[in-house]
Amino acid sequence: MTREIPRTLQILWGEAPRPGGRGLNRERIVAAAIEIADADGLAALSMARLAERLGSAPMSLYRHVANKDELLAFMLDAAPGSPPELPRGWRPGLEAWARALRDVYYAHPWILQVSDGRPPLDPGQLAWLDRGLAALDGTPLSQRDRFEVVTAVLYFVRGEAQIGAILMRGGSMEDYAGLIAHFVRPERLPALAAASDAGIFRPSADAAESSFAYGLARVLDGVSVLLAGD
């Protein structure tokens, strides 16, 4: 049975013809859409506003992008850019990969909303997955274990970015810390109250970096234990 490949993937992988015409093209449309989403959030992105940004009629966009869902798929493919070259060694390589991925989420926090944890199929995101797996070349881990390790690092980075790239934008983390301090009392939530009193919810660039570095190190420590058992 032949599986039907969605039109969007055919376009992204170069298996479908590109529309002709001068001036407006898919790359310009996607780049402008990313600029809007980065600056004002995903809710601010509409085909009408995008057409206005590009100085074209809304219907002109549909020659290159079928609908907003397809536009979002194109944005997911383009926004991360090319994955970084990684240093030698599985641990420095995975750490560099994780930090570069974190930078992508911080620069484009809307990615976390659009991707929604779905496995990627576009060439842009798969290139990042491939580079993460390549960091484990030369280790005795099976292909399955390598995939699970990279997935674990990915989940950690995504989870951290949900807080760092979204809550901390516009002072939201300060609001969160204030509400935690107001509502959390030792007699009801003693462990959380102690953490709040210690100031762990107070936003700061140093605290965010320290927390990320600590968590990533513990994840990679677990990989070291896995490797030591092989």
Side-chain angles (χ1 to χ4, degrees):
M1 179 178 178
T2 303
R3 181 182 298 275
E4 182 178 352
I5 299 176
R7 171 185 181 273
T8 304
L9 289 177
Q10 290 180 353
I11 294 172
L12 286 171
W13 288 96
E15 296 183 358
R18 296 172 60 94
R22 296 180 179 179
L24 200 61
N25 57 40
R26 191 182 81 226
E27 286 75 17
R28 280 191 62 207
I29 293 170
V30 171
I34 290 173
E35 289 176 2
I36 293 172
D38 287 349
D40 300 321
L42 206 57
L45 177 63
S46 67
M47 299 302 275
R49 181 174 178 185
L50 183 55
E52 182 181 3
R53 169 72 67 94
L54 292 164
S56 66
M59 290 307 297
S60 300
L61 303 182
Y62 292 103
R63 296 185 64 250
H64 305 272
V65 180
N67 49 48
K68 188 173 180 181
D69 285 343
E70 185 167 273
L71 173 63
L72 293 174
F74 291 158
M75 291 166 64
L76 274 179
D77 174 70
S82 299
E85 294 298 325
L86 302 180
R88 289 181 173 273
W90 73 264
R91 185 160 186 148
L94 275 184
E95 181 174 354
W97 182 81
R99 288 186 172 279
L101 187 61
R102 182 191 188 220
D103 289 343
V104 168
Y105 291 146
Y106 269 61
H108 313 289
W110 53 266
I111 289 178
L112 298 165
Q113 297 172 258
V114 177
S115 60
D116 198 25
R118 289 171 291 182
L121 282 170
D122 59 89
Q125 291 189 90
L126 287 179
W128 278 77
L129 179 58
D130 180 81
R131 191 61 53 85
L133 290 169
L136 293 164
D137 284 350
T139 69
L141 296 178
S142 67
Q143 293 296 330
R144 167 63 66 181
D145 284 345
R146 294 181 191 192
F147 185 81
E148 297 296 347
V149 164
V150 171
T151 300
V153 175
L154 171 62
Y155 288 164
F156 167 74
V157 176
R158 282 183 63 93
E160 191 275 345
Q162 288 283 359
I163 296 175
I166 295 177
L167 278 182
M168 290 185 71
R169 283 177 67 124
S172 296
M173 195 63 188
E174 292 182 8
D175 295 340
Y176 181 74
L179 289 170
I180 284 285
H182 177 81
F183 287 111
V184 173
R185 292 287 179 264
E187 59 272 16
R188 185 169 185 178
L189 300 168
L192 190 58
S196 177
D197 290 343
I200 69 164
F201 296 113
R202 294 194 202 102
S204 77
D206 290 344
E209 170 56 30
S210 176
S211 177
F212 179 80
Y214 180 88
L216 180 59
R218 300 296 75 77
V219 173
L220 298 181
D221 286 348
V223 181
S224 295
V225 172
L226 179 64
L227 285 166
D230 283 345

